Amino acid sequence: MDNDSFRRHGHEFVDWLADYFENIERYPVKSGAEPGEVLSRLPSSPPTGGESMDAIFKDFRQVILPGITHWQHPGWFAYFPANNSPSSVLAEMLTAGLGCQCMSWQTSPAATELEERVMDWLRQMIGLPEGFTGVIQDTASTATLCALLSAREFATDFTANERGIHAPLMVYASTEAHSSIEKGVKIAGFGRENLRLIEARDDLSMCPQSLEDAIGQDIGEGKIPACAVATLGTTSSMAMDPVDDISAICEKYGLWLHVDAAFAGTAAVDPQHRWFMKGTGKSDSFVFNPHKWMLTNFDCSAYFVRDPGILLRTLSMQPEYLKTAADEQVKNYRDWGIQLGRRFRALKLWFVIRSYGIRGISEMVNKHIGLARHFAQYVADDDGFELLAPQRLSLVCFRYNPGKLDEEDLLRLNQTLMEKVNASGELFLTHTVLKEKYCLRLSVGQRSTAMKHIKKAWILIKDASNRLMA
Ligand SMILES: *Cc1c(COP(=O)(O)O)cnc(C)c1O
């Protein structure tokens, strides 16, 4: 493609995206594509000659778009959000155009130094104390893997990297912790059997006494407690583990404390929601995802560590061909994570933080929390529905329960209800199980979700429930 065509299509695509943002409610939130439908519309062999951008773009609209689930639709209430923003999209465009691979300082000094600066802004924005140093990872899963690897090396005086693990190293997390903890435990070589899931209390947060009991028991059996993972904002119900109490236990027994605040971390930008951060200053590592609730395109996960030296000793590689004259004076982020090559992700974060400011981000967080509170009130006021967990931040866990039905029937009823409302194309909800009860989750967080979408969601859910019982 020549530069003139690039210019022409570039303008065309930005116009298309602006129209997309404006008219996104005309699309069904959840794609109605059947398994294999998109695949069957794609030629089984690649083109021999180059095709025109007009032809490619036509297929984007006709073949790809129907198979897209619209995460930026204001009726997005599934999982957690991955909201973006116009400023983030524009930064991603520049990143793509620059096409830098930012593995070390010399491969783009500005990428490294901007990352250093915006990560410290972010640290201040969520109230993590000075002394924590940040690095951008692709996802919370990867950040947690880095934490588990660091904990493994810390617990073995850096010998596991050399000789492997020779005694059972134990990891602790609550029964409500995210699946990425178990995945990381398996990848890092701890072994799944050495992950102990600690019982949750009534409010679904980790019980510190049970944690201490488990540690004591493992020590008695000759095992080595290495790491505890506390979750701030569990995926199923937004439960908050008591990091302060957990940090005291970790300190007492010499465990690494990793805090997973993947979704909830963004709420800490507003000091009035920062209460759950208590004790995080005593953690060894902390992760949250600006790519979930902070207007920054996927992927962008913020990983903070108290002692970067441990991370570097765990992951740093110094092959001759990567050495540079500046190594003594600069950060080379290739040594701060799993991968060698790195995207220039700091740019979109910088654009977002500058264009919204702390105030703009706080206002969005508060809007979403207010909308969730409103929806929770609808549920609480309706005899046919019940809340299955208190509404926390922007998440509401609820189900339809018209009475006189057993758990099995309630599961099927709510499953059908969810399928019906999702098929409307107006909203997209997902489910979980809380204390063995099938539960619908309404998770608010898309940038443009407003009161009218919450009202519409409730009407659709109510109507569908009435029709199910009719
Ligand atoms: C979403 C989520 C994760 C995983 O996030 P990725 O960035 O997709 O790896 C981990 N922990 C919690 C609590 C989450 O909600």
Side-chain angles (χ1 to χ4, degrees):
M1 181 189 279
D2 61 34
N3 212 35
D4 281 342
S5 315
F6 170 73
R7 192 184 302 278
R8 185 164 56 80
H9 289 295
H11 285 285
E12 184 191 357
F13 290 179
V14 170
D15 276 340
W16 186 88
L17 280 174
D19 289 344
Y20 174 71
F21 288 151
E22 211 165 288
N23 303 318
I24 196 161
E25 290 185 60
R26 293 189 198 153
Y27 296 88
V29 192
K30 180 176 178 287
S31 167
E34 294 294 329
E37 196 177 322
V38 177
L39 190 63
S40 71
R41 297 187 63 192
L42 296 166
S44 51
S45 44
T48 309
E51 300 182 58
S52 75
M53 189 47 68
D54 289 325
I56 301 170
F57 190 47
K58 180 170 148 268
D59 284 345
F60 165 79
R61 294 187 311 261
Q62 294 183 354
V63 180
I64 303 301
L65 263 188
I68 290 295
T69 289
H70 298 277
W71 285 69
Q72 308 312 320
H73 191 298
W76 182 271
F77 301 117
Y79 309 103
F80 279 137
N83 63 16
N84 69 6
S85 58
S87 7
S88 170
V89 172
L90 292 174
E92 281 285 62
M93 189 169 80
L94 295 178
T95 294
L98 293 174
C100 300
Q101 197 276 59
C102 308
M103 59 185 170
S104 57
W105 179 83
Q106 101 166 353
T107 62
S108 273
T112 297
E113 295 183 14
L114 182 63
E115 180 161 341
E116 193 169 336
R117 184 60 77 216
V118 291
M119 288 305 284
D120 198 63
W121 284 4
L122 212 48
R123 176 193 66 73
Q124 298 170 44
M125 284 165 66
I126 59 170
L128 265 185
E130 240 173 278
F132 276 82
T133 310
V135 54
I136 301 177
Q137 305 283 353
D138 52 8
T139 58
S141 303
T142 304
T144 292
L145 176 57
C146 290
L148 288 165
L149 292 167
S150 303
R152 185 190 74 190
E153 292 313 302
F154 184 69
T156 60
D157 198 20
F158 299 89
T159 64
N161 259 343
E162 299 302 319
R163 300 197 285 273
I165 299 177
H166 292 289
L169 290 180
M170 306 303 293
V171 178
Y172 308 84
S174 100
T175 49
E176 294 293 311
H178 191 265
S179 59
S180 56
I181 317 302
E182 180 179 325
K183 197 175 197 175
V185 160
K186 292 198 276 190
I187 298 170
F190 289 91
R192 198 186 53 77
E193 288 181 1
N194 296 323
L195 169 63
R196 285 195 64 168
L197 295 182
I198 305 301
E199 172 191 341
R201 303 183 284 197
D202 256 4
D203 68 354
L204 297 164
S205 67
M206 189 198 286
C207 169
Q209 189 55 54
S210 304
L211 171 67
E212 186 159 11
D213 293 348
I215 292 172
Q217 191 186 6
D218 287 341
I219 292 173
E221 291 174 13
K223 297 169 178 169
I224 304 163
C227 180
V229 181
T231 310
L232 292 176
T234 58
T235 313
S236 281
S237 70
M238 200 65 72
M240 301 287 182
D241 288 349
V243 174
D244 210 25
D245 298 340
I246 294 169
S247 73
I249 297 168
C250 288
E251 204 171 305
K252 181 168 164 192
Y253 295 94
L255 273 75
W256 186 279
L257 173 57
H258 175 59
V259 177
D260 174 4
F263 174 78
T266 300
V269 172
D270 185 340
Q272 68 169 325
H273 302 301
R274 209 173 273 171
W275 57 270
F276 60 78
M277 292 286 283
K278 191 160 183 266
T280 49
K282 287 178 273 176
S283 68
D284 296 286
S285 51
F286 178 96
V287 63
F288 93 99
N289 284 345
H291 73 222
K292 273 187 170 156
W293 199 12
M294 218 189 84
L295 303 160
T296 309
N297 274 77
F298 187 86
D299 52 351
C300 182
S301 185
Y303 182 53
F304 293 94
V305 292
R306 196 152 52 145
D307 181 356
I310 298 175
L311 182 62
L312 288 167
R313 249 185 104 182
T314 301
L315 298 176
S316 172
M317 301 295 292
Q318 304 294 340
E320 194 53 41
Y321 47 82
L322 292 178
K323 289 180 183 161
T324 74
D327 286 351
E328 294 299 309
Q329 297 148 268
V330 297
K331 288 192 165 99
N332 287 317
Y333 281 125
R334 66 161 196 267
D335 291 329
W336 294 60
I338 311 282
Q339 70 213 63
L340 168 62
R342 307 179 84 242
R343 268 160 46 68
F344 185 8
R345 298 190 190 91
L347 194 70
K348 58 187 168 185
L349 203 46
W350 191 48
F351 274 42
V352 166
I353 296 172
R354 289 187 64 185
S355 70
Y356 286 86
I358 294 172
R359 197 186 312 131
I361 294 168
S362 301
E363 279 168 8
M364 179 204 62
V365 161
N366 283 304
K367 176 187 81 169
H368 290 150
I369 293 174
L371 294 176
R373 191 175 298 130
H374 200 89
F375 186 85
Q377 198 59 50
Y378 286 142
V379 174
D381 290 346
D382 192 302
D383 287 342
F385 283 80
E386 61 180 337
L387 290 167
L388 291 184
Q391 168 250 331
R392 297 185 193 100
L393 299 181
S394 57
L395 181 65
V396 184
C397 297
F398 70 104
R399 70 175 174 181
Y400 179 40
N401 187 352
K404 302 199 187 75
L405 292 174
D406 62 20
E407 285 302 322
E408 191 64 24
D409 287 338
L410 283 171
L411 181 155
R412 267 197 302 272
L413 189 66
N414 280 277
Q415 232 165 20
T416 314
L417 177 64
M418 183 173 78
E419 280 160 18
K420 293 251 187 280
V421 295
N422 286 348
S424 74
E426 304 269 5
L427 79 169
F428 182 19
L429 290 177
T430 52
H431 78 283
T432 189
V433 171
L434 292 178
K435 297 177 186 165
E436 290 161 23
K437 292 177 179 165
Y438 187 89
C439 166
L440 303 179
R441 287 167 81 263
L442 182 115
S443 150
V444 188
Q446 206 292 315
R447 167 169 53 92
S448 51
T449 302
M451 188 60 87
K452 65 176 180 187
H453 304 103
I454 296 295
K455 289 186 170 157
K456 194 195 277 176
W458 177 244
I459 289 169
L460 284 164
I461 292 166
K462 272 296 284 179
D463 285 356
S465 71
N466 288 336
R467 263 181 280 125
L468 277 177
M469 289 318 277

